[in-house]
Amino acid sequence: MIKVHGITVFLQALGAGLLVGAAALVVALLWPIADPPWLAHSGPVALVDVTIIDVEHGESLAGQTVVLRDGHIERVGPASAEALPAGVRILDARGQFLIPGLWDMHTHSIKRSPQFHHALYIANGVTSVRDMSGCLSEDDSYWACPHDRRRWTNEAVQGQRVSPRYPLQSSYQTNGGNEVPEGLPAFFRLESLEHAEELAAFYRGQGVDFIKTYSELAPQQFAWIARSAREQGLGIAGHRPVKVSLETALAMGQRSFEHGRLFLFECFGGAQAFRSAPDPLAAYNATLRLRLLTERDEAACAQHMRNMAEAGAWWVPTLTTLRMAVTAAQPAAHQDPRLADIPWLRRKLLWGPDARRAAAEPLANDGRSIHAHLFDLASRDVGEAHAAGVRILTGTDTSDTLVFPGSSLHGELQMFVDAGLTPAQALRAATIAAAEFAGAQTTHGTIAPGKVADLVLLEANPLADIANTRRIAGVFIAGHHHDARSLQALRQFARAQASSVRANLRLLWDMLASPLMRRQLAD
């Protein structure tokens, strides 16, 4: 009896422990996660004796006073002639340089972006992002939906939240139907023109600005989407589907093309045969990647670039993502201190396997990886496309493998300069050109009276060295001033969230509860 009683007591204790553990897990999952600390200064402010960077003309204008009030730039003029209005906080900016807020034109935001992304965007001077994700229903547990991004934007402008602006809204990726979980409306699978019309109407109702195209759309599906989006007043932007030529995509009105492989494929001498294969993506192996290097049609490539420039389309190369395949095999990539800013769940579950696959790529005859050669060629494409008149924008593909929110945009700027752009041209791609793409050039992208007060204060001149965009002394979004103390607090918050067990558990729960993510993880 004593033995049985002991077992009973043990089982009761075990059951109580499991109940306590389950209750603790429920509390951890349901208890609200903290938002970034708000330490910004609000109210009118005058930046005195600052050097303004004119991103339109690539010039600097020293000795200026810039007055900010009610979220906008009120006045700009020589410091010696500007009489400062009463009640304005004075910020001595001698020796500092003022640029418009930076734009990241290719990101992927999630419900937990306030914890894992937003603080790092602002700390790195990224005040606007174009998100390239969305939702296939009214809401999703993992992905940020248009209504989330609009709310974050409005709260940031009001000084109620640390967040960049989200000026444009995207659909979820349209990929031919394989991205669609069971149980969702049939029209998402795009099996007819009528489906495409329903899909475009659905996204129009969500308030998106464009439908994101993806790699596995069939040519007929792409044509349906292009037509239906146009009828609903929506744009199309994203990947060029592998079975669709650049010429066709331009003719059908694709407005922006994403990622650095665009011309690697389009300039390939065997491009037509590749597109005609039953499953082109299955054929994309190391052998084909080597052929992209050795079977390049330079004359056709130059013509493709001229055609894209004449069509007025935009290219977002996201060289950062191509660079990942090169750096993944390098020890330094796995010692990067910024890894501490990334949730350990993402590093282990998603980044680790992706980096190991990239590091296993065979070497070319010269001992370098094929990925390294492809990156060099894509970098050359950026310089040549820009010279041909193709409109280039900065984007990073946050939060893809080894892409760090905010800071990777500075790396992208550096890669643009390494590709042949001047620092001024690279800055233009991250400021006024991005605003122009968004149709917001009258209110964003330069430093002038009446424009929104999204600004970055630097310690050194970025026109002399693009690396100086990293030397951030302060960030303004809608006139709210994040000084050095606030920026440090934001960086500390993001790092603490990345290592938080509770925040990572919430991230895991969000993933598993999302039909869209379960579909992606299964693939």
Side-chain angles (χ1 to χ4, degrees), residues 76-399:
V76 177
S80 59
E82 283 292 312
L84 298 177
V88 173
R89 182 168 61 92
I90 306 300
L91 184 63
D92 184 353
R94 282 175 294 179
Q96 296 180 322
F97 299 80
L98 193 65
I99 64 172
L102 301 172
W103 293 54
D104 188 332
M105 294 296 283
H106 192 120
T107 70
H108 294 276
S109 292
I110 61 175
K111 283 289 195 290
R112 302 299 157 202
S113 284
Q115 286 72 44
F116 298 132
H117 300 153
H118 290 171
L120 294 173
Y121 283 138
I122 299 304
N124 284 281
V126 177
T127 58
S128 293
V129 300
R130 180 181 66 147
D131 207 63
M132 299 296 289
S133 298
C135 297
L136 286 183
S137 56
E138 294 306 316
D139 207 357
D140 185 76
S141 64
Y142 179 77
W143 293 109
C145 300
H147 63 83
D148 296 309
R149 300 187 295 244
R150 283 191 287 266
R151 174 171 55 84
W152 293 336
T153 298
N154 292 336
E155 291 174 352
V157 171
Q158 295 300 319
Q160 299 167 354
R161 167 181 297 279
V162 174
S163 172
R165 297 179 193 258
Y166 289 83
L168 296 171
Q169 302 302 330
S170 170
S171 75
Y172 191 65
Q173 65 192 42
T174 54
N175 200 34
N178 61 13
E179 78 283 11
V180 183
E182 295 296 328
L184 290 178
F187 65 75
F188 284 120
R189 298 187 183 277
L190 289 176
E191 294 173 346
S192 66
L193 174 59
E194 290 72 23
H195 279 178
E197 291 170 344
E198 289 183 74
L199 182 143
F202 168 82
Y203 280 126
R204 179 69 175 174
Q206 274 200 344
V208 309
D209 298 286
F210 60 90
I211 293 177
K212 182 185 178 181
T213 54
Y214 214 66
S215 303
E216 295 183 66
L217 273 174
Q220 182 63 76
Q221 292 174 313
F222 183 77
W224 291 335
I225 281 290
R227 172 178 166 177
S228 301
R230 185 168 56 251
E231 291 174 349
Q232 288 288 342
L234 304 177
I236 52 174
H239 294 210
R240 177 188 58 75
V242 293
K243 285 179 172 272
V244 176
S245 68
L246 177 61
E247 180 182 11
T248 298
L250 291 172
M252 291 188 178
Q254 183 161 342
R255 189 155 181 256
S256 82
F257 295 81
E258 311 303 305
H259 307 310
R261 295 185 181 91
L262 177 64
F263 290 108
L264 294 182
F265 283 111
E266 210 61 36
C267 303
F268 173 41
Q272 182 56 48
F274 173 71
R275 282 194 292 269
S276 301
D279 187 356
L281 291 180
Y284 184 60
N285 52 27
T287 300
L288 180 66
R289 285 191 282 275
L290 186 59
R291 291 180 63 202
L292 296 179
L293 297 169
T294 60
E295 300 178 28
R296 188 171 167 94
D297 187 335
E298 296 292 356
C301 198
Q303 186 61 55
H304 288 314
M305 292 177 181
R306 288 193 294 270
N307 292 344
M308 188 167 174
E310 290 170 4
W314 302 75
W315 184 25
V316 188
T318 65
L319 288 175
T320 303
T321 58
L322 279 183
R323 184 68 180 164
M324 180 281 294
V326 182
T327 58
Q330 300 171 356
H334 305 283
Q335 299 164 4
D336 192 320
R338 295 176 297 174
L339 288 168
D341 298 330
I342 305 302
W344 51 259
L345 178 72
R346 180 173 295 279
R347 295 201 314 265
K348 299 297 183 183
L349 184 63
L350 302 175
W351 283 25
D354 196 22
R356 287 191 291 273
R357 281 192 298 270
E361 179 78 1
L363 302 180
N365 291 335
D366 63 356
R368 295 182 74 211
S369 76
I370 297 173
H371 285 310
H373 286 287
L374 289 173
F375 174 80
D376 290 346
L377 188 53
S379 297
R380 196 185 91 187
D381 286 341
V382 169
E384 292 179 355
H386 180 267
V390 175
R391 298 192 283 184
I392 309 287
L393 298 170
T394 51
T396 64
D397 211 2
T398 298
S399 49

Side-chain angles (χ1 to χ4, degrees), residues 53 58-60 97 99 102 409-418 421-428 456 458-472:
I53 301 300
E59 300 172 347
S60 58
F97 299 80
I99 64 172
L102 301 172
L409 189 73
H410 299 283
E412 191 79 9
L413 286 167
Q414 184 64 62
M415 284 184 271
F416 275 23
V417 172
D418 294 343
L421 279 69
T422 65
Q425 290 168 338
L427 268 180
R428 181 179 174 83
V456 184
L458 302 174
E459 296 287 0
N461 190 345
L463 299 180
D465 185 347
I466 197 64
N468 288 333
T469 60
R470 299 177 186 270
R471 300 181 60 183
I472 296 174

